[in-house]
Amino acid sequence: AARVTGRYEGGSRSSHDVSASYMNLWRSLALTARGRGYTTDGYFIVPAEVRGTVDRPAGVRFVNSAAALDYFRAETRMSLKADILAEDRANGTALQRNSTGLGQVSLDFRTEAGGSAFSAQAFHTREQFHSVFSALAPDRNSERLTFRQTVPSEAAGGAFLWRRGMGRWSVLAGADLFRVEGYSRDALFPSGLRVGGGTLWQHGAFVQSEVRVGPASLMAGARHHFTGRGRRFFSPSAGLALGRGWLRGRASVYRSFRAPTLNELHREFRVGNAVTQANAWLRPERVVGVEAGLDMAGAASRLRLTAFRSDLRDLITNVTLSVSPNLIVRQRQNAAAALSRGVEVEGLRRFGRWRAEAAYLFADSRFSGGERVPQVARHQGSGQVVYDRGGTLVSAGVRSYADQFEDELNRFRLPGFATVQVLARQRLARGFSMLAAVENLLDREYLTGFSPAPAIGAPRLWRLGLRWESAGP
């Protein structure tokens, strides 16, 4: 049976979004293909009071497509997928822009035999990234080209998984391998060449088991990982869930890590007059965490409470080396230890055709010296009310963030803000529906960073769309 869909949305800032998909299913084969194209003139990313003659709207245009061929027979399934992306971005001034070309192919194989399930995945990705950086005059009325950057990269990897379940007991084990190679080639102006990059291999193996005893589920797992650059990590974890009826309690404890990326190790970049240098001597981040929570679920309501504590070591962050009116210089470094503690609450309630949802997160994340971790708001929340009946859906929501800081020294404060979003969707006829949406309904101006000029987020944006869907017999 074939199924074809098409969608077009147009909106403010000369935005156009068009997409289409095709799906067909035969006896043991399935074919899926989709494509999307998007373009917008964008918006100014600095406030009007500091804007100069070099400032331009930050726009974007891209095209992406994907195709998948699935084969399935009895207990076996195989899937071959391919994805392509071409993107071009204007970054807010006359000279600054970047472009990306990306392609990926992957193969997934799954089968079941003798009470066990086996799966294997493999992928290969190639990417070409280009970017132009400039230095801006303090009055933003002139800019000077500083360097053009080209970053070719490729990655390949694979994984094997084995799963077996026997009554109240189950086990999952596997191994994976990942290789990435990338180089940053910077043509400096007026002259010079800077090259950085290399190859990074990572591989690991893990096992995870779960056993159910009455209303309780006990989980334990461990992973041994080689991060590249001569470092290895052992990451154990354990958890407990206990529930009956509408109430469930859960708790877990774990130790994990994050290895630095080639981008953090070797690539320098610039945003406005803020330069962030790479650091080839970065160590992996480490974390020991614990969390506990309660879940309450009924026929028309749901409530989820979670408390957490994460002890971070060797946190990779952008450390400020110097600050001047014309230039901020930062470098990626392993900062001092940090501690993150907080509470998360999520709730949902249904009233006939109406649905109300709310979420709140309190996260107090601080370095050992007391400074707050950059770009982490202590308070953030969201709420949404939805009406859904037949072919009509209307929703209105709000997202809010308390103040946060741009840098690890807590010199650049980003005030808190809230934005309102509304959406309406109406089915017009069989296979046709219309959509209207507005982001940042109240046109609130809010800060997203400093470079060192203040940067602002998206203004009020609206869009109208039409969707068509056709299903074969």
Side-chain angles (χ1 to χ4, degrees), residues 1-4 470-473:
R3 180 181 179 187
V4 180
S470 173

Side-chain angles (χ1 to χ4, degrees), residues 53 63 75 94 158 169 181 183 193 224 235 257 266 308 324 334 337 341 377 404-405 412 415 428 457 467:
T53 58
V63 175
E75 305 297 330
W169 172 81
E181 181 178 5
Y183 296 91
L193 178 66
H224 185 267
S235 301
F257 69 96
H266 300 294
F308 62 88
S324 71
N334 291 103
R341 297 169 291 183
Q404 51 193 295
F405 291 95
F412 296 102
L428 303 176
R467 177 183 173 88

Side-chain angles (χ1 to χ4, degrees), residues 32-55:
T32 304
R34 60 177 174 82
R36 181 187 178 196
Y38 178 80
T39 180
T40 179
D41 289 346
Y43 53 90
F44 287 101
I45 58 176
V46 294
E49 58 269 21
V50 300
R51 205 172 293 160
T53 58
V54 303
D55 288 298

Side-chain angles (χ1 to χ4, degrees), residues 340 363-365 372-380 402-405:
S340 180
D364 185 25
S365 301
R372 285 168 55 184
V373 174
Q375 300 176 351
V376 178
R378 294 187 70 200
H379 306 275
Q380 53 184 285
D403 68 314
Q404 51 193 295
F405 291 95

Side-chain angles (χ1 to χ4, degrees), residues 171-195:
V171 62
L172 172 68
D176 49 60
L177 173 68
F178 177 70
R179 176 190 180 274
V180 59
E181 181 178 5
Y183 296 91
S184 176
R185 299 188 175 100
D186 303 339
L188 308 179
F189 287 86
S191 64
L193 178 66
R194 178 176 58 210
V195 179

Side-chain angles (χ1 to χ4, degrees), residues 39-43 56-61 88-92 97:
T39 180
T40 179
D41 289 346
Y43 53 90
R56 303 286 190 275
V60 62
R61 55 182 180 176
D88 181 70
R89 287 182 177 269
N91 290 330
R97 62 187 313 113

Side-chain angles (χ1 to χ4, degrees), residues 16 41 117 128 179 246 255 259 280 317 332 389 428 454 467:
H16 303 276
D41 289 346
Q128 189 85 1
R179 176 190 180 274
W246 58 272
R255 177 181 184 267
T317 189
R332 298 183 181 96
R389 180 176 183 178
L428 303 176
R467 177 183 173 88

Side-chain angles (χ1 to χ4, degrees), residues 450-469:
F450 291 92
S451 62
I456 58 176
R460 181 192 297 119
L461 300 173
W462 60 266
R463 67 185 192 275
L464 297 173
L466 182 68
R467 177 183 173 88
W468 170 74
E469 181 177 330

